[in-house]
């Protein structure tokens, strides 16, 4: 007679997350990170805030102490972390360290948001949360206290950029489509998004790409990517669902959708490279303002795992140029 105990039906390994046959989700609180949390020497100010009371969601803000060097105020970079929609947090080293670097390297106010994770909260929960964070930003801009707020008095709410890493890049895409051209000003005024940076965006599809069928990466395999999709997509759908595949057979056409400028970045050796490259090519063929950059020899996470590396510094320069070009 078989065991009546729930069985593990999905396991991301190392006890990070397990889904049992009865729907129970087990998450580890003792994750062995490959990179330590960078210490703050006081060069970056940090503050945690709740942006969604209903779902108990928080964000973390980063900025350098105000030094009046020019009349121009700081831009805002909204950072959306990766993790296959299933894991990750603003507090993880992979998010925290790169946000520290973004704040100093771009001289910006960085707003790093948490969002509801799958499988407890399947898509589109994460996408809805990203929009809620933008509405929170609007609330701060409209507050009567904004002039005296040490975090917002020296920023430009109409110069916002959204930077999404991996699954965060996917979320950034859906946010861009939802807000449309004009930075979502009609919905978010006085907040205005000037552009989107999609770093190794996590897109999928039933048909395998050449890069997906290639060698596994050091920390990422096709099996893990597939598990993420099974855990995050609505039950019963395939990887061609619009949440995963912007150009799937049932995905709405983006031809007539007005989109703000986009920068898509991927590593040459990433499993997701071909999807990122194809995404950029198809949108460019539609006449969208989109630029694709590929980092030679790099795998997934080359920036957020090592934000102060040579490649990390080059990425920051490219993002900085993109922001300057789209700040008018």
């Amino acid at each position: 007679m078989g065991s009546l105990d729930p069985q593990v039906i999905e396991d991301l390994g190392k006890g990070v997350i397990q889904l049992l046959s009865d729907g129970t989700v087990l998450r580890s609180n003792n994750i062995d990170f490959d990179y330590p949390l960078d210490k703050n020497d006081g060069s970056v100010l940090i503050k945690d805030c709740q942006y969604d009371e209903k779902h108990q969601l928080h964000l973390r803000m980063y900025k350098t102490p105000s030094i009046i060097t020019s009349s121009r105020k700081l831009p805002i970079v909204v950072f959306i972390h990766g993790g296959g929609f299933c894991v990750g947090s603003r507090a993880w080293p992979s998010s925290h360290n790169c946000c520290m670097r973004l704040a100093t390297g771009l001289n910006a106010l960085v707003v790093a948001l948490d969002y509801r994770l799958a499988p407890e909260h399947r898509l589109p929960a994460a996408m809805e949360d990203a929009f809620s964070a933008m509405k929170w930003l609007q609330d701060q801009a409209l507050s009567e206290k904004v002039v005296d707020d040490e975090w917002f008095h020296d920023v430009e709410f109409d110069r916002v950029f959204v930077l999404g890493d991996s699954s965060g890049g996917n979320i950034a895409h859906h946010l861009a489509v939802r807000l449309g051209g004009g930075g979502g000003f009609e919905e978010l005024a006085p907040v205005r998004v000037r552009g989107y940076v999609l770093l190794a965006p996590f897109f999928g599809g039933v048909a395998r790409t050449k890069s997906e069928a290639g060698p596994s990466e050091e920390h990422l395999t096709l099996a893990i990517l597939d598990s993420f999709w099974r855990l995050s997509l609505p039950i019963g759908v395939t990887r061609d669902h619009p949440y995963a595949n912007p150009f799937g057979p049932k995905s709405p056409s983006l031809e007539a959708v007005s989109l703000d400028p986009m920068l898509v970045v991927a590593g040459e050796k990433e499993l997701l490279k071909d999807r990122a490259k194809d995404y950029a090519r198809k949108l460019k063929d539609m006449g969208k303002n989109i630029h694709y950059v590929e980092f030679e020899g790099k795998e997934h996470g080359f920036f957020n795992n090592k934000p102060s590396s040579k490649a990390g510094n080059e990425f920051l320069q490219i993002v900085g140029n993109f922001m300057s070009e789209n700040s008018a």
Side-chain angles (χ1 to χ4, degrees):
M1 189 172 180
S3 171
L4 297 178
D5 293 334
Q7 303 299 304
V8 176
I9 58 175
E10 290 285 352
D11 188 348
L12 289 179
K14 297 183 179 180
V16 173
I17 183 171
Q18 292 180 325
L19 176 63
L20 306 186
S21 55
D22 65 353
T24 300
V25 178
L26 302 177
R27 292 180 178 274
S28 173
N29 293 320
N30 298 304
I31 299 174
D32 184 20
F33 294 107
D34 293 321
Y35 306 97
L37 207 65
D38 284 349
K39 294 182 178 180
N40 186 7
D41 59 3
S43 60
V44 179
L45 303 175
I46 301 173
K47 181 181 180 181
D48 286 325
C49 297
Q50 183 181 84
Y51 75 89
D52 187 323
E53 183 178 1
K54 178 181 178 181
H55 298 114
Q56 293 293 297
L57 293 171
H58 294 77
L59 53 77
R60 178 170 293 178
M61 299 189 294
Y62 304 77
K63 66 181 290 191
T64 55
S66 294
I67 300 176
I68 300 176
T69 56
S70 71
S71 59
R72 185 129 206 203
K73 294 185 176 182
L74 303 179
I76 300 173
V77 175
V78 176
F79 179 80
I80 311 175
H81 70 76
F85 305 105
C86 298
V87 297
S89 161
R90 71 192 189 285
W92 280 25
S94 56
S95 296
H96 178 80
N97 294 351
C98 75
C99 286
M100 294 262 289
R101 189 72 185 92
L102 289 170
T104 57
L106 299 176
N107 194 26
L109 169 65
V110 177
V111 179
L113 60 110
D114 281 348
Y115 50 84
R116 285 172 290 168
L117 299 174
E120 298 96 327
H121 306 282
R122 292 178 179 265
L123 297 175
M127 297 156 186
E128 293 169 350
D129 295 339
F131 181 75
S132 293
M134 300 302 292
K135 294 296 287 184
W136 177 88
L137 197 60
Q138 180 187 39
D139 289 342
Q140 310 316 302
L142 294 174
S143 170
E144 295 179 355
K145 300 178 181 179
V146 67
V147 177
D148 300 317
D149 191 309
E150 66 173 328
W151 282 92
F152 296 112
H153 73 92
D154 58 352
V155 304
E156 288 186 292
F157 286 99
D158 68 343
R159 194 155 60 107
V160 176
F161 294 85
V162 176
L163 195 164
D165 170 50
S166 193
S167 55
N170 179 306
I171 295 170
H173 156 77
H174 286 280
L175 185 63
V177 172
R178 176 170 183 170
L179 295 178
F185 195 73
E186 290 186 3
E187 288 190 86
L188 299 175
V191 171
R192 179 172 181 172
V193 180
R194 297 287 180 168
Y196 298 82
V197 179
L198 278 59
L199 175 57
F202 182 32
F203 295 129
V206 172
R208 300 298 192 191
T209 66
K210 184 177 179 181
S211 60
E212 286 174 343
S216 295
E217 301 180 46
E218 183 179 357
H219 300 293
L220 194 62
T221 67
L222 190 58
I224 291 176
L225 295 179
D226 287 350
S227 289
F228 281 145
W229 287 127
R230 288 192 297 270
L231 290 167
S232 64
L233 286 170
I235 294 173
V237 307
T238 72
R239 295 189 304 275
D240 275 336
H241 189 281
Y243 295 152
N245 188 351
F247 305 104
K250 294 184 179 180
S251 298
S253 173
L254 298 176
E255 191 83 45
V257 177
S258 177
L259 294 174
D260 284 313
M262 286 188 174
L263 170 65
V264 180
V265 179
E268 178 194 14
K269 294 186 177 182
E270 292 202 50
L271 293 169
L272 296 171
K273 179 193 72 174
D274 287 349
R275 293 206 181 272
K277 192 172 185 178
D278 185 62
Y279 170 84
R281 178 185 61 79
K282 287 181 176 178
L283 288 184
K284 194 172 189 66
D285 289 346
M286 293 178 186
K288 314 299 183 188
N289 183 351
I290 188 164
H291 185 55
Y292 175 75
V293 177
E294 190 170 298
F295 276 74
E296 182 179 359
K298 295 304 177 184
E299 294 187 342
H300 199 67
F302 73 87
F303 174 69
N304 58 345
N305 289 332
K306 296 181 179 180
S308 296
S309 65
K310 181 179 179 181
N313 291 334
E314 184 181 347
F315 171 75
L316 274 180
Q317 183 175 4
I318 292 171
V319 173
N321 291 339
F322 173 77
M323 292 171 61
S324 297
E325 292 166 1
N326 294 287
S327 288

